[in-house]
Amino acid sequence: MSKLTFILSALMAGSASAFSMTMKAQSGSNLRREILQKGAAIATAAAVPAAAKAYSVPDLNYPFEALEPYIDAPTMKIHHDKHHATYVANINKATEGKEEVDIVALQLNALEAGPAVRNNGGGHYNHAFFWDEMAPPDEAKKTKPSPALEAAINKSFGSLDEMKAAFEARAAPGALFGSGWVWICVSGDELKLVGTPNQDNPLMKGVADSVMFPILGLDVWEHAYYLKYQNRRPEYVSNWWNVVNWDKVSENFAYVTEKKAGVPVRG
């Protein structure tokens, strides 16, 4: 019986007291039902582990065309909106329903976690790291390594120019065959140059001799440069220095040396 039908019946019977008593009974029944429903919902929520917070593609700090002429706008748009977005979609799928893990922490045991986490979690971290270490050429040329970073570069490589030369040699197709990344990392009290295949990075246990903390990294997958440079990877690598934001790299170095941890990324 609907509430309206009941009210009309009670009034027609002239039983105000019956009407009042029944309304109270119905109200009590609704209250009990509401309590039981809420209790069941709370119990269910308590029994299910917290779902992972979805990772996301961070917005760039600059327009797609801002890195021209060294990295072209079409490449940046496809790289960011398509390639990075695919890694994010896939790592969200791989971690759906699992306990939330920060993307930096996810890197450590990525190899043990399997290809979905290794490839897509690495792809997300690497790209989020990559976007933030670059700046438009006019801004980038005003930046330079901090005194602390410069001292570390000189200690480990001899000079900034010698570090760049070693980096470019490591990024050459003959030295890093196929797709991958090249990194400058903090390892103990020195800087090391590391090349990794696919979407691996030195934060992952088992990728290098020991876990290291990147402060600078370059994507040498073909999708990062092919529209402009075709097969001329060395030209892409050499030109890339024109958009490196050394202020950000210096911040990365300061963070890593203080925290002994991977650099946090957006998204």
Side-chain angles (χ1 to χ4, degrees):
M1 179 184 292
S2 69
K3 185 181 293 184
L4 179 59
T5 303
F6 167 75
I7 292 172
L8 291 174
S9 298
L11 289 175
M12 290 174 65
S15 177
S17 60
F19 170 74
S20 177
M21 290 176 62
T22 309
M23 284 297 291
K24 288 179 180 179
Q26 185 172 354
S27 176
S29 176
N30 289 341
L31 179 60
R32 286 192 298 274
R33 185 182 302 111
E34 184 177 356
I35 291 172
L36 290 172
Q37 289 173 342
K38 288 184 177 179
I42 292 171
T44 301
V48 177
K53 178 182 178 182
Y55 302 108
S56 61
V57 180
D59 292 335
L60 298 177
N61 293 322
Y62 39 79
F64 291 119
E65 67 274 12
L67 304 185
E68 291 185 341
Y70 305 107
I71 303 180
D72 57 294
T75 292
M76 285 298 296
K77 184 170 179 58
I78 295 170
H79 197 174
H80 178 270
D81 289 1
K82 301 298 183 182
H83 290 282
H84 191 175
T86 298
Y87 292 123
V88 167
N90 287 338
I91 189 59
N92 283 336
K93 182 178 179 180
T95 57
E96 186 177 3
K98 299 180 180 178
E99 185 177 356
E100 178 181 343
V101 178
D102 179 79
I103 191 63
V104 179
L106 192 70
Q107 304 307 299
L108 180 61
N109 296 311
L111 272 64
E112 295 178 7
V117 172
R118 178 180 185 174
N119 295 333
N120 297 293
H124 174 38
Y125 180 84
N126 296 351
H127 284 87
F129 183 101
F130 183 57
W131 309 134
D132 281 357
E133 68 183 2
M134 296 186 292
D138 289 345
E139 297 178 19
K141 69 181 180 181
K142 298 175 184 177
T143 69
K144 61 181 181 180
S146 66
L149 176 56
E150 184 178 17
I153 290 172
N154 292 341
K155 176 184 176 181
S156 299
F157 297 98
S159 68
L160 180 60
D161 285 342
E162 289 176 282
M163 188 204 79
K164 287 181 178 180
F167 190 100
E168 291 176 25
R170 188 68 184 87
L176 183 62
F177 183 77
S179 301
W181 292 73
V182 180
W183 310 89
I184 298 294
C185 305
V186 172
S187 177
D189 61 353
E190 63 180 336
L191 299 179
K192 286 191 175 180
L193 176 62
V194 181
T196 58
N198 303 315
Q199 293 299 341
D200 288 356
N201 63 59
L203 290 173
M204 297 175 176
K205 184 170 59 178
V207 165
D209 293 338
S210 61
V211 171
M212 290 180 266
F213 307 114
I215 61 169
L216 177 72
L218 175 62
D219 187 349
V220 294
W221 281 63
E222 286 188 343
H223 65 237
Y225 63 87
Y226 202 81
L227 291 182
K228 179 176 177 66
Y229 295 97
Q230 286 82 52
N231 64 328
R232 304 188 308 277
R233 185 198 287 183
E235 183 181 346
Y236 157 70
V237 176
S238 177
N239 281 343
W240 178 68
W241 298 115
N242 291 288
V243 296
V244 170
N245 180 353
W246 288 106
D247 288 347
K248 174 58 177 169
V249 180
S250 298
E251 289 178 12
N252 292 347
F253 176 74
Y255 181 91
V256 164
T257 52
E258 178 185 353
K259 304 292 187 180
K260 302 296 187 293
V263 174
V265 295
R266 298 178 300 125

